[in-house]
Structures are given as C-alpha cells and as structure tokens.
C-alpha cells in the first residue's frame, strides 16, 4: 500500500510539486529565476520553447500541469507567444489546482515578474503542506519505462528486470506503459502475439511499421554511436533488448502522448509523429520521451541504462536501473538499482525484480530517487504532430 496526495479532481499523486510553466523560450530565464531558490522545496520548471502554434505542445502542457503529482502551477508568459495560455489556465483551474499567470510584457519586465512569482510560490508552498495524504492502492499507480545509454548488457539484465517487475505489478493492478516504437523494429510480430485483440495485433504491427518509415525518411535510425561502442551491433539486437522491458503480459492497447489509458493494464506509447517528417527527430533525447510518459499519467519512470545516464525529470521521479556492473561502480551516486550483479552471478533477474518492486514502494511513499536527491529536474518539449487514435488501439 502507498500513500498519495488527493487532488480535487480525484487523482492521487505520489509527489506534491509546484510547477513554473513557461509558454515560450523568451520566458524561460524568468521562470528559472523564480524556481531556483525553491528547487529543494518541490518547485519544478517545465515549458515549451516554441513561438509557432502546435496542438501537441498545448496538449502536453495541459496534461503535465494537471498531473496527479502537481498541486499548483505558475504560468510564465512573455505575452506575444502562440501557446494558448488562457486555455491552459482554465484547464488547470477546472482541475481544482491553484494557478496564476504572470505576463512579463504586462508586469513591467523581468525583475518585477520574478519578485511577483517568488511571492506567489512562497504562499503556495505553505498551502500545499495542508494537502491530505490518503491510502493509495496499486491499481491507482501508473508506471512508465524507457531505456537510454543502452549497451550490450541492457537487454540481458536491466530491461528483463523491468519486464519481470511489470509482470509482477500488473497482477496487482497497476497501469504500465512502455514506448520507443523506433526501437521495436523487428519485434513487431512477436509483440503482436501478445495483443488483447486481433484488431490490436494489427495496430501494433502498423505502429512499428510507421516508425520504420519515419526513420527511413529522416535518414537516421534510433541507434547511436554510444550504442555501438557499448557492444550493440544492429537495430534488431537493440530492439530485442528494448522489447524485453515490456515483459510477457498481455498488451491491452496503444496510446499516444497525453492519452490516459482507459483502464489498468499494459500499453504501448507511440511517440513517433503521424504523417511525413515535419519537425525533426521523433525522440530528440530521453527526456522528451520521459515527459510524454508522464503526460500519459505515469507517477514513476523506470529508466534502464548500460553505458550510464544521469538524467532525472520534472514532475515524476526517475528510478535508474543500471545494466552494467562496471557502469554502476563508476556512477553509483546516480544509479538506484544494480542489475549488473546478474552478469556477475551474484543475483538473478527474479531477485533484482523483487528488489526493484520494493524500491518502487519506497519511492511511492516519499523516499527520494538518486536523481531527485541530486536535484535533477530535466525537461524537454519539442514540436510534434499526432492524429487521432485508430480503431482497435484501445480496449473496448
């Protein structure tokens, strides 16, 4: 059993954060100046850098600002951007969260905007201390997973550990989300055999085919120089490792960024934009995908890494599962779980999965991950374009 913060909209979060949300890059500095003195008190910065309109960015900001781990939001606007700050404010207000908008062009500039923002943040910190904590069951918990800085050990240790943990926790009723369709190329038919329905089976194959075509058009696949130096040889080898994060349970549906799973179960998050390439790489970096998992409701992110990644995230805590024993020794201050001990013959996949499950409960009850303790709060939101979900993607 976990303890959650009860929101007015009925959601329960495992954190009680305040967001400073900038609506264009021109307001980023002011937002950061407001947030930084309070970073140890649960105040995070998120935002959209673009000035041109983008429906995906609007939807992402709305989903993140009303996430169950968030209790209040300060919107930082320059004043002439295209992101719909008025609608964002109304969505946040309707969810029962405290919200304030500061527009720099109307607040006599940076200095006074920063002062006004800090005053509001200090009041909200005091108010949020009164947020009630209530029992939170596993079937109210959502967990996302991603791998980054993968090497040849990732698919042998850390990723199978996450898959096993998902299988164990799905039996207890959690919602589990895995993604990286560009790193599932070659695994689509194996994955389709686990679909809840024949319609979903067809959609899983179609979704990975879309990613394959997108990358071909971009002229660049989801395979880095670091992956090769770490011993991975082909996208198929990398895909098999990435696929193992999903475990062996039945797959219940496909979602896209900001779509909340309609029921508990296991879901594939399709992060590759629909249509022809317009805005650049579909997974510019791991934090862009972490943000998308969080926008789908994930309270916690399980992050596997072989070569080593030190990132955390705004909004939801990131648990780092290290695949490589040497990497764990090099980066022990940044890694939460040492799955590399499996290679050394010290522990089994089942034993590390049990350890990870126990660790998830601790994080859900307020313990800090390594990245949280180091104040990692990385965030990125870029341009993308998505259409509607196709029939058969979601359970009926």
């Amino acid at each position: 059993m976990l303890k959650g913060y009860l929101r007015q909209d009925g959601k329960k979060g495992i954190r009680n954060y305040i967001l400073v949300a900038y609506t264009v890059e021109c307001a980023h500095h002011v937002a950061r100046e407001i947030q930084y003195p309070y970073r140890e008190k649960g105040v995070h910065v998120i935002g959209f850098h673009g000035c041109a309109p983008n429906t995906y960015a609007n939807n992402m900001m709305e989903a993140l600002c009303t996430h169950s781990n968030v209790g209040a939001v300060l919107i930082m606007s320059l004043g002439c951007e295209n992101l719909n700050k008025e609608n964002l404010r109304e969505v946040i207000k309707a969810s029962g969260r405290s919200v304030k908008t500061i527009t720099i062009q109307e607040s006599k500039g940076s200095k006074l905007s920063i002062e006004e923002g800090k005053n509001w943040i200090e009041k909200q910190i005091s108010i949020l201390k009164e947020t009630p904590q209530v029992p939170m069951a596993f079937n109210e918990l959502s967990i996302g997973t991603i791998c980054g800085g993968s090497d040849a050990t990732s698919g042998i240790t850390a990723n199978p550990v996450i898959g096993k943990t998902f299988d164990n926790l799905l039996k207890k009723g959690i919602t589990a989300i895995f993604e990286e369709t560009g790193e599932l190329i070659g695994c689509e038919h194996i994955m389709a055999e686990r679909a809840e329905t024949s319609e979903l089976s067809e959609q899983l194959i179609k979704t990975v085919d879309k990613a394959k075509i997108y990358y071909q058009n971009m002229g660049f696949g989801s395979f880095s120089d670091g992956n090769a130096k770490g011993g991975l040889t082909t996208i198929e080898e990398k895909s098999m490792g990435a696929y193992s994060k999903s475990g062996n349970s039945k797959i219940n549906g496909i979602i896209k960024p900001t779509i909340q799973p309609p029921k508990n179960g296991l879901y594939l998050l399709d992060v590759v934009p629909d249509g022809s390439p317009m805005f650049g790489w579909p997974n510019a970096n791991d934090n862009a995908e972490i943000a998308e998992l969080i926008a789908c409701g994930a309270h916690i992110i399980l992050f596997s890494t072989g070569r080593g990644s030190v990132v955390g995230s705004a909004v939801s805590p990131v648990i780092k599962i290290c695949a490589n024993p040497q990497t764990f020794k090099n980066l022990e201050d940044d890694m939460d779980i040492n799955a590399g001990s499996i290679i050394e013959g010290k522990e089994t996949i089942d034993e590390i999965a049990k350890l990870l499950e126990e660790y998830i409960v601790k994080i859900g009850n307020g313990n800090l991950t390594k990245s949280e303790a180091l104040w990692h709060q990385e965030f990125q939101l870029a341009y993308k374009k998505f259409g509607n979900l196709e029939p058969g993607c979601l359970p009926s």
Side-chain angles (χ1 to χ4, degrees):
M1 183 67 70
L2 309 172
K3 288 184 179 179
Y5 293 94
L6 181 62
R7 307 299 175 196
Q8 288 188 31
D9 57 9
K11 296 178 182 179
K12 294 176 185 177
I14 64 167
R15 295 293 185 266
N16 200 22
Y17 291 147
I18 298 171
L19 296 186
V20 182
Y22 62 89
T23 54
V24 67
E25 185 62 25
C26 308
H28 189 171
H29 172 74
V30 171
R32 181 66 66 190
E33 288 293 300
I34 292 170
Q35 174 267 347
Y36 193 79
Y38 308 103
R39 66 180 185 134
E40 298 181 15
K41 295 184 178 182
V43 181
H44 291 194
V45 171
I46 69 168
F48 180 54
H49 69 274
C51 196
N54 185 238
T55 300
Y56 159 80
N58 276 301
N59 293 342
M60 283 286 293
M61 291 290 283
E62 289 174 12
L64 292 164
C65 288
T66 56
H67 190 279
S68 54
N69 287 348
V70 175
V73 182
L74 174 62
I75 301 172
M76 280 308 310
S77 162
L78 175 63
C80 54
E81 64 273 32
N82 274 291
L83 192 138
N84 194 332
K85 65 181 179 184
E86 290 81 10
N87 189 68
L88 177 61
R89 183 183 184 281
E90 290 307 309
V91 168
I92 297 168
K93 183 179 178 182
S95 75
R97 290 163 175 79
S98 296
V99 59
K100 178 181 177 63
T101 302
I102 296 177
T103 303
I104 298 168
Q105 292 172 347
E106 299 171 5
S107 297
K108 298 184 179 180
S110 299
K111 185 177 180 180
L112 291 180
S113 295
I114 291 168
E115 183 180 334
E116 183 181 357
K118 286 181 177 179
N119 290 336
W120 189 83
I121 292 293
E122 288 180 1
K123 291 177 183 177
Q124 294 306 311
I125 289 172
S126 298
I127 292 170
L128 286 184
K129 287 179 180 177
E130 305 302 318
T131 306
Q133 275 193 287
V134 296
M136 182 174 173
F138 275 108
N139 64 8
E140 298 175 288
L141 183 67
S142 179
I143 303 177
T145 187
I146 178 175
C147 50
S150 300
D151 69 6
T153 68
S154 298
I156 301 171
T157 61
N159 289 348
V161 162
I162 292 173
K164 182 67 176 179
T165 304
F166 267 5
D167 289 340
N168 293 340
L169 289 176
L170 281 163
K171 293 174 184 176
K172 298 182 180 181
I174 71 157
T175 298
I177 309 170
F178 69 105
E179 50 88 62
E180 297 171 295
T181 45
E183 295 180 10
L184 293 172
I185 295 169
C187 299
E188 58 269 35
H189 294 282
I190 304 170
M191 183 167 59
E193 293 175 0
R194 295 165 52 199
E196 183 178 22
T197 65
S198 57
E199 269 190 305
L200 178 59
S201 179
E202 294 174 5
Q203 291 297 331
L204 287 167
I205 294 172
K206 187 176 179 181
T207 299
V208 177
D209 283 343
K210 181 188 76 168
K212 188 189 305 181
I213 293 169
Y214 196 100
Y215 277 113
Q216 286 173 347
N217 290 339
M218 291 294 293
F220 186 85
S222 184
F223 196 92
S224 73
D225 181 61
N227 296 150
K229 288 179 179 176
L232 289 171
T233 60
T234 62
I235 185 61
E236 288 80 9
E237 183 183 3
K238 186 179 182 183
S239 293
M240 288 300 293
Y243 171 71
S244 65
K245 296 198 310 300
S246 67
N248 293 297
S249 301
K250 183 179 293 184
I251 298 171
N252 301 104
I254 303 169
I255 55 177
K256 295 181 182 183
T258 74
I259 301 295
Q260 306 287 310
K263 70 173 187 177
N264 300 96
L266 178 63
Y267 293 83
L268 170 65
L269 172 59
D270 176 14
V271 302
V272 175
D274 293 330
S276 58
M278 293 177 64
F279 301 118
W281 310 120
N283 54 343
N285 59 56
D286 295 326
N287 278 95
E289 294 169 272
I290 288 173
E292 290 172 325
L293 287 164
I294 295 170
C296 293
H299 295 92
I300 294 171
I301 304 298
L302 305 182
F303 191 124
S304 72
T305 183
R307 289 183 60 82
S309 175
V310 302
V311 300
S313 178
V315 183
S316 292
V318 174
I319 297 174
K320 229 72 64 58
I321 302 96
C322 188
N324 189 315
Q326 187 58 51
T327 302
F328 185 83
K329 291 174 185 176
N330 291 341
L331 298 172
E332 192 167 351
D333 287 343
D334 292 279
M335 301 294 126
D336 296 278
I337 301 290
N338 181 17
S341 62
I342 296 167
I343 289 178
E344 296 176 319
K346 296 177 181 178
E347 293 172 286
T348 66
I349 288 175
D350 285 346
E351 288 171 338
I352 299 296
K354 183 179 179 182
L355 182 67
L356 176 56
E357 183 177 336
E358 293 170 351
Y359 194 80
I360 288 169
V361 173
K362 291 178 182 178
I363 299 306
N365 281 319
N367 285 21
L368 299 180
T369 65
K370 291 289 186 72
S371 61
E372 285 183 295
L374 292 167
W375 312 114
H376 279 282
Q377 298 176 8
E378 289 85 349
F379 181 83
Q380 177 160 337
L381 173 59
Y383 285 95
K384 282 190 179 183
K385 181 181 179 181
F386 288 96
N388 296 323
L389 286 169
E390 297 185 44
C393 282
L394 295 174
S396 57

